[in-house]
């Protein structure tokens, strides 16, 4: 299991700026492909941390969403995230455009994705396929209980969608999700 390896402005890399690349601190995409080849020669499976709860504010999707808000548009990339006007409650941060705020459960540099948006889902499917086609054996999913602020059932639904898609690409894909909670909640996710 490799920690987040995708480009990110932070030391921990949990705020992804580019889902289809390797952070230069770890090498190149070709280096990673070589690592996979060598690991597989030794019967070692490789899973990577896959952060889909949020991106970085430096991610192209977020940057385009902000440009749309500046232009007075509320469709397109704005729908990739959770934006609201005049919403300064906990877990929301000022977007820097008018009175718009974005949801950020963990940190101001981690705007939460709208995982129910079909375009976001299509983008994530493309990313899953990209990594599986390269040879990744599976994914460790970060912060699964926070996928939806509407509750466990909706977050579980997101996970089922993602897992079913990944299985359609690679039948023996391995996925594990991080869920720090009571055993009853964890069993719902399991």
């Amino acid at each position: 299991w490799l920690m987040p390896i995708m480009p990110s402005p932070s030391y921990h890399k949990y705020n992804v700026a580019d889902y289809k690349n390797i952070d230069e601190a770890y090498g190149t995409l070709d280096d990673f492909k070589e690592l996979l080849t060598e690991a597989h020669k030794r019967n070692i499976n490789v899973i990577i941390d896959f952060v889909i709860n949020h991106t970085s504010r430096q991610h192209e999707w977020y940057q385009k969403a902000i440009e749309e808000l500046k232009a007075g548009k509320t469709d397109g990339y704005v729908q990739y995230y959770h934006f609201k006007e005049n919403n300064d409650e906990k877990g929301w941060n000022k977007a820097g455009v008018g009175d718009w705020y974005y949801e950020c459960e963990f940190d101001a540099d981690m705007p939460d994705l709208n995982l129910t948006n079909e375009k976001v889902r299509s983008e994530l499917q493309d990313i899953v396929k990209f990594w599986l086609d390269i040879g990744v054996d599976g994914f460790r999913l970060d912060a699964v209980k926070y996928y939806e602020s509407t509750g466990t059932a909706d977050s579980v639904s997101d996970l089922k969608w993602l897992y079913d898609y990944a299985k359609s690409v690679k039948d023996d894909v391995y996925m594990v999700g991080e869920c720090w909670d009571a055993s009853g909640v964890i069993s719902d996710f399991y």
Side-chain angles (χ1 to χ4, degrees):
W1 162 33
L2 299 178
M3 64 192 167
I5 58 173
M6 298 163 191
S8 165
S10 68
Y11 75 93
H12 54 69
K13 309 286 181 230
Y14 282 95
N15 50 340
V16 176
D18 180 356
Y19 279 109
K20 292 184 176 179
N21 210 343
I22 302 292
D23 193 284
E24 64 183 19
Y26 305 130
T28 67
L29 199 51
D30 286 335
D31 294 334
F32 183 67
K33 290 175 184 177
E34 184 179 345
L35 170 76
L36 290 171
T37 299
E38 293 301 319
H40 291 155
K41 282 181 187 176
R42 292 163 177 81
N43 294 319
I44 298 171
N45 288 335
V46 178
I47 66 169
I48 61 171
D49 231 313
F50 188 36
V51 183
I52 67 167
N53 185 56
H54 43 256
T55 67
S56 167
R57 288 185 299 165
Q58 293 179 10
H59 194 285
E60 176 185 25
W61 301 340
Y62 184 79
Q63 293 295 310
K64 287 182 177 180
I66 293 299
E67 289 305 313
E68 288 176 359
L69 285 175
K70 287 178 181 176
K73 299 178 181 176
T74 57
D75 56 357
Y77 287 95
V78 171
Q79 298 299 313
Y80 277 42
Y81 297 89
H82 298 282
F83 283 98
K84 287 185 183 177
E85 283 188 288
N86 303 311
N87 186 15
D88 61 353
E89 61 191 76
K90 186 179 184 296
W92 291 77
N93 196 60
K94 196 148 180 60
V97 178
D99 289 324
W100 286 99
Y101 288 77
Y102 60 91
E103 186 178 26
C104 53
E105 183 72 31
F106 290 98
D107 183 89
D109 192 41
M110 298 176 168
D112 289 355
L113 283 168
N114 178 3
L115 296 178
T116 63
N117 180 283
E118 288 304 317
K119 290 181 180 176
V120 171
R121 285 186 170 209
S122 179
E123 298 267 18
L124 293 173
Q125 287 175 335
D126 185 55
I127 294 162
V128 164
K129 185 166 180 5
F130 173 83
W131 289 105
L132 292 176
D133 286 350
I134 286 174
V136 166
D137 299 290
F139 304 97
R140 183 265 188 188
L141 303 170
D142 183 56
V144 297
K145 81 176 203 170
Y146 298 103
Y147 284 2
E148 300 294 339
S149 58
T150 52
T152 298
D154 291 332
S155 292
V156 168
S157 178
D158 291 338
L159 283 170
K160 180 170 177 11
W161 155 76
L162 185 65
Y163 181 67
D164 288 348
Y165 175 75
K167 290 280 287 179
S168 77
V169 176
K170 179 178 171 58
D171 186 53
D172 64 344
V173 68
Y174 178 82
M175 294 179 85
V176 61
E178 172 205 29
C179 181
W180 294 98
D181 211 315
S183 59
V185 174
I186 292 171
S187 69
D188 289 342
F189 280 92
Y190 182 75

